[in-house]
Amino acid sequence: MDLTLVRRDKNFEEKNGSIYTEGSLTHELAHASSMYQGYVTPDKQSSYTPRVGFCLPQNNTPWGWLLEEGWADLHRGEYFAKYATEEQKKRIEAVMKFGSLNLDDTVPITTPNGDILPLPIKYLYLTENGDLTTKSSAYAGYILELLCRKDPTLYPTLRQARGSVEGLRKLSTQIDRISPSLYSFLQSSDYTEKDFSGRLQKVISRLFLDVRTLIKGPKGLQETWDRLLRTKEGN
Ligand SMILES: [Zn+2]
């Protein structure tokens, strides 16, 4: 039907404001639509499979693939950073207790693999109990951000890769130029928090060597990071 339906969750909206639902909608609308996966020419002589997100024609839809989920969540994060009201932002600051925050400041997240990884605040939201949490796709969104930081010409290629096979070929070459075999490493992941966060950990250690280069935030948040990383190194 080429239609996106998002159910409004009263509890999450109460905690976060309507930005929570708007963010979910932005994520879903950014995904490729399988509506256009196949079509037949008017003379019925040939059929085509146009592009559906980051996958090749005749593949399945790229549902749950890291690049596809990353693309969608990158837009959810961008939407939050651009449209969250001061009041909505303050709800997160009240839980973090580090004073005024920038939405690109990085929060330490303990992943299911036991790693402590940074995620920008724009990817986080509050649960019904008022705790900060995130979604598996957020790790993928941040991976795309980090790749674009390494190669600022990547964003237009990501966009191009969703619309043409040439674009997708260009994307795989460009990502592999950042780090050899990185494209297939990213595209072969499972759609779980454990796997996506594991890929983020690998991307950080391969491309940035030290997680400290990615830490942003006010003094209190930086000190929390220092403490966490020192404890981890001590173990
Ligand atoms: Zn998604």
Side-chain angles (χ1 to χ4, degrees), residues 27 31 69 191:
H27 175 110
H31 272 311
E69 287 308 322
Y191 187 17

Side-chain angles (χ1 to χ4, degrees), residues 16 80 87-97 101 103 107 121-122 124-126 132:
N16 298 275
F80 189 88
E87 190 270 328
Q88 285 164 341
K89 200 179 137 221
K90 280 200 167 62
R91 295 184 192 205
I92 291 184
E93 287 171 347
V95 175
M96 296 281 298
K97 299 190 176 74
L101 296 165
L103 292 172
V107 178
I121 287 169
K122 62 189 176 191
L124 306 178
Y125 58 94
L126 298 166
L132 270 183

Side-chain angles (χ1 to χ4, degrees), residues 141-155:
Y142 190 44
I143 287 174
L144 288 195
E145 255 191 66
L146 294 179
L147 296 183
C148 289
R149 204 177 293 180
K150 278 283 160 191
D151 176 359
T153 68
L154 190 68
Y155 191 87

Side-chain angles (χ1 to χ4, degrees), residues 106-109 116-120 139 142 200 204 211 214-215 225:
T106 45
V107 178
I109 306 283
I116 299 167
L117 297 180
L119 271 187
Y139 300 98
Y142 190 44
L200 173 60
I204 291 175
V211 73
L214 300 173
I215 307 308
W225 266 108

